[in-house]
Amino acid sequence: MKFLKLLLLLFVVQMQAQQGGMWIPSLLEGMNETEMKNLGMKMSASDIYDVNKSSLKDAVPQFNGGCTAEVISSKGLLLTNHHCGYSQIQSHSTVEHDYLTDGFWAMKMEDEIPNKDLEVTFIVKIEDVTTQILNGVEALNSEADKQKKIQENISNLNKSFAKESYQGIKIRTFFEGNQYMLFVTESYTDIRLVGAPPSSIGKFGSDTDNWVWPRHTGDFSLFRIYADKNNRPADYSKDNIPYTPKHFLPVSLDGVSEDDFTLVFGYPGRTTEYLPAVAIEQIVKETNPAKIEIRDRALKVTDGFMRKDKAIKIQYASKYAGIANYWKKWIGETQGLIKSNAVQIKRDQEATFQQKIIKAGKQAEYGNLLADFEKNYEEILPYTVSRDYFMEVVLRNTELLGLGFKLYQLEQIQAMRGDQALMDRRDNLVDGLDDFYKNFNLQVDEKVFEQLIDLYLNKSPQQFIPADLKNTNIAQLTASVYGTSKMTTYAGVKELLTGDSQTVLKNLNNDKGYQLVKSLGEAFLKNVNPKYEQINTQLSALQRTYMKAQLELNTDARIFPDANSTLRVTYGKVKGYEPRDAVAYEPVTYLDGIMEKYIPNDYEFDVSQKLIDLYNVKDYGPYGENGKMPVNFIGTNHTTGGNSGSPAIDANGNLIGLNFDRVWEGTMSDVYYDPAICRNIMVDMRYVLFIIDKYAGAKNLIDEMKLVHPKKGKQSAKKQKVKNKRKKN
Ligand code: ARG
Ligand code: ASP
């Protein structure tokens, strides 16, 4: 009987632990710590996050706002994904020195390459500041006044909170406005490129394999943090020295097996796990299909050019990858939401929830929530769709229009703040323009424009299209904009922007391209955006109350705050999955699989001769396992965009993998997490070491790291120490 109970308990804990969740690292004690230990973790919560002693968090900075990285040596060596360092690697590449194609390795520190505008940010400590931020808010009546008061409180606390001069402060909301946390940060800006494998390794499988399992990508790159003589943040200087971290991650040589505990530590960007069913329905039926169609067209055009022209391929590599990435994600997400029946499941949950509200006698407070959601979502729909078209066509995928919109903002600034404000912004804008034109190809953009403006004018909600653009001849419009606009060249734009404020405005307004952007921009800002913002503010308020209600009434649930680009812990196990009837996926892939996928000279599946040679002689050094070279593995960790580059950590705090993606069937995890099919994909650290050591011959980097054998017991750990010592001598 006892045994049965225990079994049942274990079963329950296991099931719960597979429900996902992205947890705040300073609040792990209690339920999370227990769950993690039940899953096999040998550390305590304070080994992960502590303000008084060094802990794992001190090795895990955010990488340039959108990715995660980890420190893996005492000299500030930083590991992240190849796709996270991609634009840096690209920016140092030319047709002659093509680091994207051939890889890059600094064999000594002097060869490491500085990067413009690259920063990594560590978290020093996290504090709950909900009381301070919500002070005086409750008494206010309108949502707008409440938000204003909150912003005031945030800005006051920002100024008054005690910190060192070289530190920063971030205040972020959790649970949709029900909780506020303050982060003390340290940002380093002298970050140098240390190593990157060729794209045939770092981006193996490219877009065909993106978001897909089984996967075989060596998606890693290496950087180094430099600091001033006091180990503090400093802008680039040749006198800066390698940063000494408070903690760095030892690297495990022992790999993973199915059911091993894993913890992923990083900066998930954004999830919306608590949306009502009606919102998910709109994603599935309206917004995702519209965005997918736009990007479909943009990608087809660009791909055609990139395959034919090497220079264009370099120019557009990074932009293309970014656009393709979410295009493909939205397709998978839509399919997953349909297949998992997410809308119906949410509807059922909502019915149960409505019962709970009644049972708790909370109708006055929460009784209308769901009906209000329905009403507001219905009302906002045309504005949301129109806004998506504007964002995707004008701001994101047509470069000339995107630039044009920045010019249009000059005119707006002038109207609001006068001539000097325009001149200041102009100077700022001109500084960045050479980078823009370095990667701009007129023919590519013209063809993209022709495709996308057609969708915009003919398929976005027609009531918001400016009258003079209805029934436009697309070919003529394209020819006139791209044939005459000065925005098509660097020299031309500089000409447009030369002179005093009034001259600039006159020049701009005479330009055909500018005229078009202005017309689209004005229509959007007048007819779409204000109403969108107004309803959206209502929706945010509803969402906040809905969250509060769930926290109150679902006391048994594991409710975690949606991702908001702050440091989170997610944990689970190494585990395969069954994507469809009769198909089962193993959790680990091997180098053999790369050879199976190999297509000579293919732009996605080519394999370099060097790697083939290593494979043929099975020269894997200490990194192989039973004569095979592990490459990628999957687990039940709940991750999202921004978790790329996150360390996958074993039960003892060692680095076993590098997170970089999710599986196709589970990409809907941002909206609805299904533990049966949602998996994150990681590079096995042994593959990273193998590529650095055997492929690139960068022994210097291996020697910096601390390699450990957590599974093979103390005996071999000792041996390892002796070995490490010998290496040094
Ligand atoms: N899907 C992964 C993520 O969202 C990897 C993206 C990079 N790779 C690519 N082929 N675009 O970032
Ligand atoms: N590839 C994503 C990233 O760049 C991770 C994910 O969405 O799973 O952060």
Side-chain angles (χ1 to χ4, degrees), residues 66-67 83-84 211 325-326 639-644 659-662:
C67 278
H83 80 261
C84 293
W211 301 109
N325 192 32
Y326 265 64
T639 55
T640 186
N643 268 124
S644 275
N659 184 71
F660 71 104
D661 208 2
R662 279 170 285 165

Side-chain angles (χ1 to χ4, degrees), residues 333-349:
E333 182 176 273
T334 308
Q335 287 180 8
L337 289 172
I338 292 171
K339 201 178 157 200
S340 64
N341 223 352
V343 173
Q344 192 52 50
I345 291 174
K346 288 265 180 180
R347 288 229 183 269
D348 295 346
Q349 286 171 355

Side-chain angles (χ1 to χ4, degrees), residues 45-228:
S46 69
D47 293 322
I48 300 171
Y49 174 93
D50 201 309
V51 282
N52 301 314
K53 65 173 175 54
S54 71
S55 54
L56 291 183
K57 75 136 170 54
D58 297 315
V60 187
Q62 189 172 34
F63 185 84
N64 220 22
C67 278
T68 304
E70 51 278 350
V71 185
I72 55 169
S73 90
S74 61
K75 295 176 200 152
L77 187 61
L78 201 59
L79 177 69
T80 188
N81 288 142
H82 186 260
H83 80 261
C84 293
Y86 200 66
S87 64
Q88 281 74 35
I89 304 165
Q90 186 225 347
S91 75
H92 303 302
S93 294
T94 57
V95 174
E96 293 81 43
H97 290 282
D98 188 349
Y99 301 142
L100 284 179
T101 305
D102 306 322
F104 168 82
W105 303 97
M107 297 297 172
K108 45 187 193 319
M109 286 189 187
E110 297 84 78
D111 297 338
E112 298 173 357
I113 312 177
N115 293 285
K116 254 201 293 180
D117 304 323
L118 176 59
E119 75 172 18
V120 304
T121 300
F122 290 92
I123 303 298
V124 180
K125 66 173 168 186
I126 308 174
E127 273 186 32
D128 190 322
V129 293
T130 312
T131 324
Q132 291 98 305
I133 300 302
L134 293 183
N135 185 23
V137 172
E138 191 64 26
L140 301 168
N141 280 325
S142 85
E143 183 58 24
D145 286 347
K146 286 183 183 177
Q147 289 309 320
K148 213 174 120 213
K149 179 74 184 164
I150 288 173
Q151 286 315 316
E152 248 173 59
N153 289 347
I154 288 180
S155 128
N156 288 339
L157 189 60
N158 246 320
K159 278 179 226 143
S160 63
F161 196 89
K163 62 162 182 73
E164 305 294 337
S165 60
Y166 54 88
Q167 295 177 326
I169 282 179
K170 280 184 188 154
I171 299 168
R172 293 282 180 275
T173 183
F174 290 72
F175 296 113
E176 334 278 351
N178 286 288
Q179 187 180 24
Y180 287 82
M181 292 281 192
L182 178 148
F183 298 78
V184 177
T185 61
E186 285 175 15
S187 294
Y188 287 79
T189 50
D190 185 352
I191 311 296
R192 304 186 196 168
L193 178 64
V194 172
S199 293
S200 62
I201 291 171
K203 203 175 177 324
F204 182 74
S206 193
D207 292 310
T208 299
D209 267 10
N210 191 20
W211 301 109
V212 167
W213 185 256
R215 188 66 154 279
H216 299 85
T217 311
D219 195 344
F220 78 95
S221 61
L222 292 156
F223 289 80
R224 190 185 306 281
I225 308 173
Y226 282 79
D228 71 10

Side-chain angles (χ1 to χ4, degrees), residues 15 20 68 71 90 201 211 239 260 289 313 348 363 409 457 485 498 535-536 601 614 627 691 713:
M15 287 300 290
T68 304
V71 185
Q90 186 225 347
I201 291 171
W211 301 109
D239 300 327
D260 276 0
K313 187 173 166 189
D348 295 346
Q363 288 105 309
Q409 286 174 321
L457 297 182
S485 174
T498 304
I535 309 172
N536 199 38
N601 298 318
L614 289 166
I691 295 296

